[in-house]
Amino acid sequence: MIPLAIPNLEGNEKRYLCECIDDGFVSSVGEFVNRLELDAAKATGSVATVATSAGTTALHASLIVLGVRPDDLVIVPSFTFIASANSIRHAGAYPWFIDVDPESWCISAKQLAIELDEKTVVKGGDVYHKATGRRVAAIMPVYTLGNIPDMDEINCIAASYGLPVLADAACAIGATYKGLPIGGLATLSAISLNGNKTVTAGGGGLICGQDESLLNEAKHITTTARVWPGYDFDMVGYNYRLTNLQAAVACAQLERLEQFLQVKRRVRRLYNESFAGLSGIKAFPTPEFCESSAWFSGFVCENSDAARIVSALNDMGVGAKAFWKPVHLQAPYLECVRASSLDVTESVWDKVVTLPCSTIITDDELHVVVDAVKSVLGA
Ligand SMILES: *Cc1c(COP(=O)(O)O)cnc(C)c1O
């Protein structure tokens, strides 16, 4: 089976891991953790970054630092991986689901503005959702597939309500918006270093941003809120630190970020060009003002059954897969606040087919995938 997305470990990963073991620094103190935070700051245009145990924990810690409290609402698109919403619940808050824009599959700025206008009231400097009485505490756009929505517009809406913006940039390392890297596009941004992401640590995450004091606070709460050099702790902190072993892998990965992005984008282009003429097939959206990190590639089948296509491709040895099922349709989130319509989300999610897009994919494998798709679609 040609796998969907497996890590490319052909760089310095093994060498750096051996260094950790030889030096005895395998846990959360070590030179690779520090180096990763500096290298990632450079790569993302951040003043600093904080290495965490996962993308989910990066999101959770960021929400706390941004002032999200139990029983608050956090605005998030429903078309995302469930971890976005889980991190909100981990903070004790609840998601408020918004639709996505068909041009980006990212949060619809237009609907966001309308929902805030019609369904909230501002009292004493805070924003309250009228129907539930809950305080609205943050907006969490998601960089779906490595696409970036119109952040100028989203930041402008957020600013007019005094709301912080936390970007779920889990799968967007390397993406740019109007030429700018992700570190400065939101109040804070969270990246995932999970095994299927463009840059992996096995598991892990990074908090990025340009506000040094928020990032210092994030580091504090993700490292048990210890006040050095003694054994004092000034709040209930979290053990969310990445280990040196994981950071060693991530450092080696980050050295090849540009190369990985080139492959990801080339695979995206090749699939788009190969399937351009096929009837009922649409390419994944790519908004004009951003250069997507093209984390995943594939196509949208407008008329046919995506599940059938995926299973036919699997039978032919192609590791195709369906994509995110919207969170408002998931058991733990059925009762959460929703926008008046989630039409785009509901009409697109079960038509998405993702195709093999590892950065170690070969040209031969790409041709096998293209031929298999054409044969399954009867083209
Ligand atoms: C991968 C992913 C996450 C979760 O990251 P983990 O490192 O697995 O916790 C969250 N949100 C999105 C959009 C993702 O793609």
Side-chain angles (χ1 to χ4, degrees), residues 312-331:
L313 286 169
N314 291 167
D315 290 344
M316 296 173 80
V318 172
K321 237 176 144 177
F323 195 52
W324 298 333
K325 179 175 173 179
V327 186
H328 74 279
L329 303 178
Q330 305 285 358

Side-chain angles (χ1 to χ4, degrees), residues 54-56 59 80-81 83-84 142 168 170-171 192-194 197 204 295 324:
T56 309
L59 287 166
T80 183
F81 182 58
S84 318
V142 178
D168 180 343
C171 50
S192 166
L193 302 173
N194 189 33
K197 300 302 201 280
W295 169 52
W324 298 333

Side-chain angles (χ1 to χ4, degrees), residues 1 159 161 191 288 290 294 318:
M1 182 84 90
Y161 288 89
I191 290 173
E288 277 165 45
C290 93
V318 172

Side-chain angles (χ1 to χ4, degrees), residues 1 22 40 57 84 107 112 134 162 167 179 235 238 252 278 320 343 361:
M1 182 84 90
D22 291 343
T57 55
S84 318
I107 191 166
L112 172 68
R134 294 189 193 278
M235 61 172 282
Y238 297 86
L278 305 184
D343 287 353
I361 197 164

Side-chain angles (χ1 to χ4, degrees), residues 275-282 300-304 377-379:
F275 309 140
L278 305 184
S279 79
I281 294 303
K282 258 178 50 181
V300 184
C301 43
E302 291 189 293
N303 316 313
S304 34
L377 294 171

